[in-house]
């Protein structure tokens, strides 16, 4: 990313505050100038209101949340937002359903002694994300 380019505006939606903090830390560590966490939300309903009023590039989204689950949020913003969605969850069983909802990626995390451990390699996922978003932005500016 050149200095004239803006960082990708992202939000994190997860009802677990420790997961939000861990993901924010990883994004700052690996992509300090490429991905900006604009806001975080512990409520999908609050995130929905924000998504409907702002332009977002990336949404890091949990599935299991009390007020509105991640798939319901995806349905609610379908056709209204061009944001790429990355599911962040510890539940393997949602992977196929996530890709049926056209999410960009599925980031599996497990919990161990109060810490989140992300697998597969977060660097690989973010490298794919970086490439995909850059290609999409290049295509949109050349048309």
């Amino acid at each position: 990313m050149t200095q004239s380019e803006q960082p990708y505006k992202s939000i994190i939606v997860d009802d677990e505050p420790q997961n939000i903090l861990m993901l924010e830390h990883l994004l700052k560590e690996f992509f300090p100038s490429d991905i900006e966490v604009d806001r975080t939300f512990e409520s999908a309903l609050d995130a929905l209101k924000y998504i409907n009023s702002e332009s977002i590039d990336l949404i890091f989204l949990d599935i299991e949340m009390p007020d509105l689950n991640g798939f319901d949020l995806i349905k609610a913003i379908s056709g209204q937002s061009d944001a790429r969605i990355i599911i962040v969850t510890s539940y393997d069983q949602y992977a196929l359903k996530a890709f049926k909802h056209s999410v960009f990626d599925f980031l599996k995390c497990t919990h161990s002694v109060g810490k989140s451990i992300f697998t597969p390699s977060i660097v690989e996922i973010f490298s794919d994300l970086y490439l995909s978003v850059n290609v999409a932005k290049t295509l949109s500016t050349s048309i």
Side-chain angles (χ1 to χ4, degrees):
M1 175 174 286
T2 65
Q3 289 190 12
S4 64
E5 294 177 344
Q6 296 293 320
Y8 303 121
K9 185 176 177 182
S10 69
I11 62 171
I12 300 171
V13 185
D14 195 316
D15 62 322
E16 298 289 337
Q18 71 273 12
N19 292 346
I20 291 173
L21 291 173
M22 176 64 75
L23 190 52
E24 276 185 301
H25 170 76
L26 291 169
L27 289 169
K28 286 177 186 173
E29 181 178 334
F30 288 104
F31 299 96
S33 61
D34 297 316
I35 298 174
E36 171 192 337
V37 178
D38 187 56
R39 296 277 306 269
T40 63
F41 298 92
E42 292 180 27
S43 162
L45 289 174
D46 291 341
L48 177 59
K49 293 174 193 171
Y50 187 76
I51 293 165
N52 286 334
S53 67
E54 295 290 327
S55 178
I56 307 294
D57 297 311
L58 306 170
I59 300 171
F60 294 91
L61 180 63
D62 186 23
I63 295 296
E64 291 288 329
M65 293 180 283
D67 54 0
L68 183 73
N69 75 40
F71 291 120
D72 290 336
L73 179 63
I74 291 170
K75 289 177 194 171
I77 65 171
S78 179
Q80 297 179 24
S81 175
D82 293 329
R84 292 204 184 328
I85 299 170
I86 300 173
I87 300 294
V88 182
T89 186
S90 58
Y91 300 100
D92 280 333
Q93 69 265 26
Y94 294 130
L96 183 58
K97 187 174 181 179
F99 289 109
K100 286 182 179 180
H101 280 81
S102 301
V103 303
F104 175 76
D105 215 330
F106 184 90
L107 181 57
K108 167 103 170 49
C109 68
T110 57
H111 301 281
S112 173
V113 196
K115 294 183 179 180
S116 294
I117 302 167
F118 292 90
T119 59
S121 168
I122 194 164
V123 175
E124 290 175 22
I125 290 170
F126 285 136
S127 295
D128 291 347
L129 172 67
Y130 184 78
L131 178 62
S132 177
V133 172
N134 274 322
V135 168
K137 284 189 174 186
T138 300
L139 290 175
S140 69
T141 58
S142 65
I143 294 178

